[in-house]
Amino acid sequence: KRKAIGGEFIKVFQDYRDSLEKSINKCPKYLVQGTLYPDVIESCPPPGSGQKHSHTIKSHHNVGGLPKDLQFTLIEPFRELFKDEVREVGRLLGVPPRFISRHPFPGPGLAVRVMGDVTEGNKLDCLREADEIFIECIKEYGLYDEIWQAFAVFLPIKSVGVQGDQRTHNYVLALRAVCSSDGMTADWYPFQPAFMRDVSNRICNKVRQINRVVYDITSKPPGTIEWE
């Protein structure tokens, strides 16, 4: 999935480059990316492939997911920095705090937070709605800055539930929130039961296709922060 997204990611830039060349008679040669060191570490192939780092954990769309025929010269100024180091660079450059403190968001977008087929039904719409409720709850409770990253994951399984006096058979949603400093290791955030009850009720009441909410209590390692 990440490799397919990586190919489309580059194709968009290639198409725009071609249209720009026609309009200004100049061909852009460079592609600037915000690649971070964890992306590089996790995207390296297994030993014996000529690489010097770890096994492939996941093919990030901007590293392992890039097509071989890139047709651009890559510029990656943060390639050897961790997220906390990039944030420090941002502070030195005077970047507004609201940008520096934002939670990381995956380059491939919500496609890696929908397990399985992304295009089936309206899974992305359900995920967007549920994720917004989750993040708004975190902000309401004053927890946003205590958490490294928080998000919802749409699971390709259904469970039996009840709404009023009617049986339901809808999807399961997983919530994930972790604490970390560099993204290489992470631990799950210990929400209070009252918060979990509130966010679960809000999601199940407002997102009709979801009737069950679970919370991911897996650290990194053994689990990665994102599910795909």
Side-chain angles (χ1 to χ4, degrees), residues 16-81:
Y16 183 72
R17 174 205 59 195
D18 294 343
S19 65
L20 196 62
E21 183 179 15
K22 292 178 181 178
S23 63
I24 66 173
N25 201 30
K26 290 184 179 180
C27 182
K29 299 179 180 179
Y30 303 98
L31 177 64
V32 182
Q33 293 194 141
T35 306
L36 303 183
Y37 193 47
D39 300 342
V40 179
I41 294 175
E42 293 183 337
S43 296
C44 286
S49 62
Q51 295 287 357
K52 299 179 181 179
H53 299 291
S54 60
H55 283 257
T56 301
I57 297 172
K58 53 187 176 182
S59 297
H60 287 267
H61 78 289
N62 56 335
V63 186
L66 293 178
K68 292 182 179 180
D69 184 22
L70 186 59
Q71 302 178 25
F72 287 106
T73 298
L74 280 180
I75 298 177
E76 300 173 309
F78 302 134
R79 186 181 175 88
E80 297 183 358
L81 298 180

Side-chain angles (χ1 to χ4, degrees), residues 136-147:
E136 287 305 312
C137 279
I138 288 174
K139 291 178 178 178
E140 283 180 25
Y141 279 73
L143 303 174
Y144 189 82
D145 291 336
E146 296 183 18
I147 297 170

Side-chain angles (χ1 to χ4, degrees), residues 36-187:
L36 303 183
Y37 193 47
D39 300 342
V40 179
I41 294 175
E42 293 183 337
S43 296
C44 286
S49 62
Q51 295 287 357
K52 299 179 181 179
H53 299 291
S54 60
H55 283 257
T56 301
I57 297 172
K58 53 187 176 182
S59 297
H60 287 267
H61 78 289
N62 56 335
V63 186
L66 293 178
K68 292 182 179 180
D69 184 22
L70 186 59
Q71 302 178 25
F72 287 106
T73 298
L74 280 180
I75 298 177
E76 300 173 309
F78 302 134
R79 186 181 175 88
E80 297 183 358
L81 298 180
F82 290 98
K83 185 71 175 183
D84 57 326
E85 296 172 325
V86 174
R87 283 176 167 156
E88 185 59 33
V89 171
R91 293 185 187 98
L92 293 173
L93 293 175
V95 176
R98 67 180 183 277
F99 289 109
I100 294 176
S101 63
R102 285 183 64 181
H103 290 184
F105 186 79
L110 296 180
V112 294
R113 294 179 180 173
V114 172
M115 301 297 98
D117 189 346
V118 180
T119 62
E120 183 183 1
N122 62 337
K123 292 180 179 179
L124 284 171
D125 290 335
C126 293
L127 179 59
R128 288 188 188 100
E129 189 175 358
D131 190 79
E132 183 178 6
I133 293 170
F134 184 33
I135 298 303
E136 287 305 312
C137 279
I138 288 174
K139 291 178 178 178
E140 283 180 25
Y141 279 73
L143 303 174
Y144 189 82
D145 291 336
E146 296 183 18
I147 297 170
W148 163 271
Q149 190 172 4
F151 55 92
V153 180
F154 193 97
L155 303 183
I157 55 175
K158 289 186 174 183
S159 72
V160 175
V162 58
Q163 188 171 12
D165 58 354
Q166 297 293 317
R167 176 185 185 273
T168 64
H169 189 237
N170 288 326
Y171 287 102
V172 179
L173 184 85
L175 302 180
R176 181 115 165 103
V178 298
C179 299
S180 180
S181 61
D182 55 17
M184 293 304 298
T185 60
D187 200 5

